[in-house]
Amino acid sequence: MCSKARGIGSGRVLQTMFVSAVLASSIQAAVADPVVVPSDTETTGIEARNDLIRVGDGAIVNGDIDNRNGAIQLGDSVRVDGSIESRNGAIAVGDELIAADISNRNGGISIGPGSQVEDVENRNGSIVIGQNSQAGDVSTRNGSIRLEAGAMVDDVETRNGRIVIEPQSTIKGSVKTRNGKMSISGASVAKDITSRNGAVELADVNVGGNIQSHNGKIDVAGRSEINGDVVIDLSELEVSGWSMGSKTELEIVIGGDTQVAGSVVLKLPREDRSHHTGRIVLGPNAIVVGNVVVSQGVETDLRGEVGGGLVVED
């Protein structure tokens, strides 16, 4: 009986040793060395799993960079003749990158100043486009977008995140956000600015299209030029099922030396206006070339110039 007991004990010792060996192997794999491309060298495409990818200054990658469960770090003046993609790891890029598309899931994207890339897309992470960088469309879901001073991109769009655009930036298309605040200062937007469930704050901007918001505030200040309409229009909104205690305050403020080439419109829901209040403020130096259009119940404080006049609708 004693001999049998010792045999069982020996089996447990061997099992423990085997499990320890497996764990040690797993730990060693988890802390594997990063994939490194030295500075000023040239290589083919790079693919990694569970490892960091690090590319040195001035390196050239002839192909895509693809990482899963690991970060990607690129030095200054790197050229990638392909796309850059990561999942579950941040992408951090130095100055003056040249690359095609950049995409990520579950990690941030940061692009250094003076870079030239194509589309930048992210899910569950933020995007930063560095000073004087150029990109195609910039979009993210569940993350913020920041364009630093002098950046030039096509369209900008986010869902569930804030948009910040710094001075001297140029957006060749439109800017859209859902469930997030938008702040644009000293920049140019060729087409429309649209926000849903978030405030729009603009200063010293040039907008080629319309500005539209739902369930938020629009504030235009400084020496801004709006070549379209400024609109909050909830006239077709169905408010059935809203909580009786909720009330949404809608406001449009046109201040500074702003000029609006179109009309300024604020309409409350037709069905039931008890859940919304509205107000339009036009500063003393502001100009609206078209009309100021409001639904009944909207307050107006019009100290500036209105070319078409005030129109009150049912």
Side-chain angles (χ1 to χ4, degrees):
M1 293 293 292
C2 292
S3 175
K4 185 175 181 180
R6 281 195 297 271
I8 294 173
S10 298
R12 289 176 177 172
V13 171
L14 290 173
Q15 183 179 20
T16 302
M17 292 175 62
F18 175 75
V19 171
S20 299
V22 171
L23 288 174
S25 177
S26 299
I27 293 171
Q28 184 176 5
V31 296
D33 292 336
V35 178
V36 177
V37 177
S39 299
D40 301 315
T41 59
E42 187 169 350
T43 185
T44 58
I46 306 169
E47 184 175 354
R49 297 291 181 268
N50 306 315
D51 297 326
L52 167 68
I53 295 177
R54 181 181 294 126
V55 179
D57 297 344
I60 299 174
V61 180
N62 294 310
D64 299 335
I65 299 177
D66 187 357
N67 201 356
R68 180 171 296 181
N69 304 324
I72 298 174
Q73 298 175 357
L74 307 183
D76 296 338
S77 302
V78 172
R79 191 182 82 196
V80 180
D81 294 330
S83 63
I84 301 170
E85 182 177 1
S86 178
R87 279 147 302 217
N88 306 320
I91 298 175
V93 175
D95 300 352
E96 300 179 350
L97 167 72
I98 297 177
D101 296 341
I102 299 178
S103 62
N104 199 358
R105 180 172 294 189
N106 305 325
I109 298 175
S110 178
I111 299 174
S115 297
Q116 298 180 44
V117 301
E118 297 181 11
D119 295 344
V120 181
E121 182 180 3
N122 203 354
R123 179 171 292 188
N124 304 326
S126 298
I127 297 174
V128 177
I129 307 294
Q131 296 181 11
N132 302 315
S133 291
Q134 298 181 25
D137 294 342
V138 179
S139 63
T140 185
R141 179 174 293 187
N142 304 325
S144 64
I145 294 175
R146 174 181 291 274
L147 304 187
E148 296 184 345
M152 179 182 293
V153 304
D154 292 339
D155 294 330
V156 177
E157 183 173 2
T158 184
R159 178 174 293 187
N160 305 325
R162 181 174 180 174
I163 293 177
V164 177
I165 300 177
E166 296 183 358
Q168 287 82 52
S169 294
T170 301
I171 291 81
K172 295 184 286 185
S174 60
V175 180
K176 299 179 181 179
T177 183
R178 177 173 292 190
N179 304 326
K181 183 179 179 181
M182 184 187 302
S183 300
I184 305 176
S185 177
S188 174
V189 180
K191 297 183 180 179
D192 296 340
I193 294 176
T194 306
S195 175
R196 184 178 292 269
N197 302 326
V200 177
E201 296 181 354
L202 311 175
D204 299 312
V205 297
N206 190 317
V207 180
N210 302 318
I211 301 171
Q212 186 169 7
S213 178
H214 298 271
N215 300 327
K217 175 181 177 180
I218 299 175
D219 190 335
V220 186
R223 192 177 292 275
S224 297
E225 293 185 9
I226 314 303
N227 293 311
D229 300 326
V230 179
V231 179
I232 300 178
D233 186 355
L234 274 66
S235 59
E236 303 300 325
L237 178 68
E238 296 183 4
V239 298
S240 58
W242 280 51
S243 170
M244 293 302 294
S246 65
K247 186 178 286 289
T248 301
E249 298 179 357
L250 308 174
E251 185 176 49
I252 298 176
V253 177
I254 309 295
D257 296 317
T258 295
Q259 179 168 320
V260 179
S263 297
V264 176
V265 180
L266 201 165
K267 297 183 180 181
L268 303 178
R270 287 197 183 100
E271 181 183 334
D272 184 354
R273 294 174 179 170
S274 63
H275 302 297
H276 294 80
T277 62
R279 183 169 181 256
I280 291 180
V281 177
L282 187 64
N285 297 322
I287 299 173
V288 176
V289 176
N291 298 318
V292 171
V293 182
V294 299
S295 56
Q296 290 186 1
V298 173
E299 298 179 8
T300 57
D301 181 4
L302 308 179
R303 288 167 287 166
E305 179 181 340
V306 181
L310 176 63
V311 178
V312 180
E313 299 182 350
D314 292 336

